[in-house]
Amino acid sequence: MSLPASPANLRVNGDRLWQSLMDLAQIGATLKGGVCRLALTDLDRQARDLFISWAKDAGCSVSVDQIGNIFARRPGRNPDLPPIMTGSHIDTQPTGGKFDGCFGVMAGLEVLRSLNDLGIETEAPIEVVAWTNEEGSRFAPCMMGSGVFIGRLGLEETLAKTDEHGTTVGSALTAIGYAGDRPVPGHAVGAYFEAHIEQGPILEAEQKTVGVVIGALGQKWFDVTLTGVEAHAGPTPMERRNDALLGAAEVIQAVNATALAHLPYACGTVGFVTVAPNSRNVIPGQVKFSVDLRHLHAEILDQMVADVRAAVDAAAAKHGLQSEMVPTADFPPLAFAPHLVDAVRNGATALGAPHMDIVSGAGHDAIFLAEVAPAAMIFVPCENGISHNEIENAAPDDLAAGASVLLSAMVAQAGVASSTAA
Ligand SMILES: [Zn+2]
């Protein structure tokens, strides 16, 4: 037995990772170079079967839980330790790409293969998971498998969800042979990592290879209604109007301004507006619009809400309007586990990969897992920031770097029991 390899300097086989991604993308391949592999279809079954055959070839034992999540386990020296886990999803949108989700599962598989190549025995077991129905395209809600695994979603109610043809999740699972017997909510997890394409433009623009995901944005949504007085656009003098749309315009500016004032990690969007009566020669009597505010820190998010509330009050007072601001969604910000974020950052530094801290604006299985275990994510760039699109693309070297960072971060958490690496 030789000295253990330094966990920080480990590298995966990037060519093998790329080949596996391309092979997986053949299942449900579309003419435009994307993938259509909806959850719990026969194509999903084929992809699951392929993943399992690869995991078994890598020496793993495989189990399936009652919602169809697949766990490939590489034993550690101490079987009593909870596994260090990674994974993502292999279902896609109807016009999805080759990398969203698939990268996280194939990167995990590549970690298993690389540990074998390097002759590393870890202290804790390593598990690679493929979560059921992350996309939520055929069956709602999204992030279904991880939601049931952590106990956020009930098994029976989830199995009863139907697609547009009335097929239930339960019957679809049985039809493809993936109604497993491992109980949910699931087993203890020592740490959870998820590698994923960024699905946004920042890493590419900043010319970084690895995004160290420090957390996920909190979200607060509102429906705002401003009510003034409908009146004729000609005879009503400018100083005697109660124009609801004019008030709304000032609030919309304030939503934008508060986000700009609280960068980085702030977003403010008004994406839905209705104007009544919406007639060209009538002063608008009532406007309803949405407000979507996001920030990484709860106290700043609350400040952004207060800013918008003040703008609503000011617009109402200025234009003589009645106002209402009703909350419609509230997701708290999530900070990933600092020691795992550090492990990702250290892995990127040791690899010499240009990296930066980044936040997730989208939903991922890791956000659910963070409720039951320390969790963190690794982002890699995708071309022009585009995903959920058949043209979704990523560079082989970036994917390899992200998987190498995943390998070193996981080994650092699992601990090296022994190594035969040169
Ligand atoms: Zn995804």
Side-chain angles (χ1 to χ4, degrees):
M1 191 186 307
S2 57
L3 282 173
S6 163
N9 284 322
L10 303 176
R11 279 167 201 264
V12 302
N13 181 331
D15 292 339
R16 183 171 55 194
L17 170 64
W18 180 258
Q19 192 57 52
S20 295
L21 279 163
M22 294 305 106
D23 290 348
L24 183 61
Q26 295 297 309
I27 302 171
T30 62
L31 289 173
K32 291 181 185 166
V35 179
C36 174
R37 197 166 57 230
L38 299 184
L40 310 184
T41 56
D42 192 65
L43 289 170
D44 188 14
R45 176 192 65 75
Q46 293 175 42
R48 287 162 172 265
D49 290 354
L50 182 59
F51 167 59
I52 288 174
S53 73
W54 282 336
K56 287 185 172 168
D57 287 348
C60 290
S61 57
V62 174
S63 59
V64 178
D65 73 12
Q66 292 168 297
I67 195 66
N69 297 317
I70 304 168
F71 302 90
R73 182 180 178 103
R74 184 180 191 267
R77 195 183 65 158
N78 184 348
D80 297 329
L81 289 174
I84 305 303
M85 184 186 279
T86 190
S88 195
H89 58 96
I90 55 174
D91 67 315
T92 76
Q93 292 286 329
T95 53
K98 303 184 190 79
F99 304 97
D100 175 5
C102 297
F103 170 55
V105 179
M106 292 301 102
L109 182 72
E110 184 53 38
V111 165
L112 299 171
R113 290 167 166 173
S114 297
L115 289 171
N116 291 345
D117 292 349
L118 295 162
I120 292 175
E121 181 187 28
T122 53
E123 199 62 38
I126 299 282
E127 277 191 6
V128 179
V129 54
W131 301 111
T132 292
N133 184 30
E134 191 274 348
E135 295 288 2
S137 181
R138 179 182 176 198
F139 298 101
C142 58
M143 304 193 294
M144 180 177 277
S146 52
V148 171
F149 179 84
I150 69 160
R152 171 69 81 89
L153 304 176
L155 177 63
E156 294 311 319
E157 70 201 67
T158 303
L159 291 175
K161 299 284 186 196
T162 54
D163 67 8
E164 60 176 331
H165 305 296
T167 304
T168 64
V169 168
S171 61
L173 270 173
T174 302
I176 67 166
Y178 277 88
D181 51 13
R182 196 163 172 167
V184 290
H187 53 288
V189 175
Y192 179 77
F193 292 96
E194 184 165 346
H196 208 282
I197 57 169
E198 179 197 345
Q199 304 180 284
I202 297 172
L203 293 176
E204 186 178 66
E206 299 290 327
Q207 297 186 302
K208 304 295 186 192
T209 309
V210 171
V212 179
V213 188
I214 60 173
L217 301 183
Q219 305 179 30
K220 286 184 190 275
W221 296 4
F222 300 89
D223 281 347
V224 179
T225 305
L226 297 178
T227 306
V229 180
E230 291 172 20
H232 198 297
T236 314
M238 294 304 289
E239 72 277 11
R240 300 183 68 110
R241 296 179 175 211
N242 306 101
D243 184 336
L245 184 56
L246 202 52
E250 290 167 9
V251 177
I252 292 167
Q253 293 281 1
V255 169
N256 188 61
T258 190
L260 290 174
H262 292 101
L263 295 175
Y265 309 134
C267 296
T269 305
V270 175
F272 170 90
V273 180
T274 61
V275 181
N278 212 20
S279 175
R280 68 191 70 236
N281 56 351
V282 180
I283 296 164
Q286 188 172 70
V287 177
K288 297 182 186 227
F289 57 99
S290 61
V291 175
D292 174 331
L293 299 171
R294 302 185 190 212
H295 202 279
L296 185 61
H297 301 299
E299 62 278 17
I300 300 179
L301 185 55
D302 288 342
Q303 180 59 53
M304 293 169 66
V305 172
D307 289 350
V308 172
R309 226 178 257 291
V312 169
D313 291 345
K318 182 174 168 188
H319 300 287
L321 310 172
Q322 291 183 336
S323 68
E324 192 179 54
M325 182 164 163
V326 179
T328 55
D330 187 348
F331 305 101
L334 169 69
F336 282 129
H339 68 290
L340 298 193
V341 173
D342 285 346
V344 171
R345 196 181 290 116
N346 293 342
T349 302
L351 194 70
H355 59 90
M356 65 182 287
D357 287 2
I358 194 167
V359 297
S360 174
H364 292 291
D365 294 307
I367 292 172
F368 268 161
L369 266 290
E371 293 187 22
V372 298
M377 293 189 74
I378 301 162
F379 279 174
V380 297
C382 55
E383 194 174 293
N384 298 319
I386 292 173
S387 87
H388 285 193
N389 189 317
E390 290 166 276
I391 63 168
E392 181 182 280
N393 199 15
D397 287 350
D398 293 345
L399 297 168
S404 292
V405 170
L406 177 68
L407 171 63
S408 58
M410 291 188 78
V411 169
Q413 295 309 305
V416 176
S418 67
S419 167
T420 56

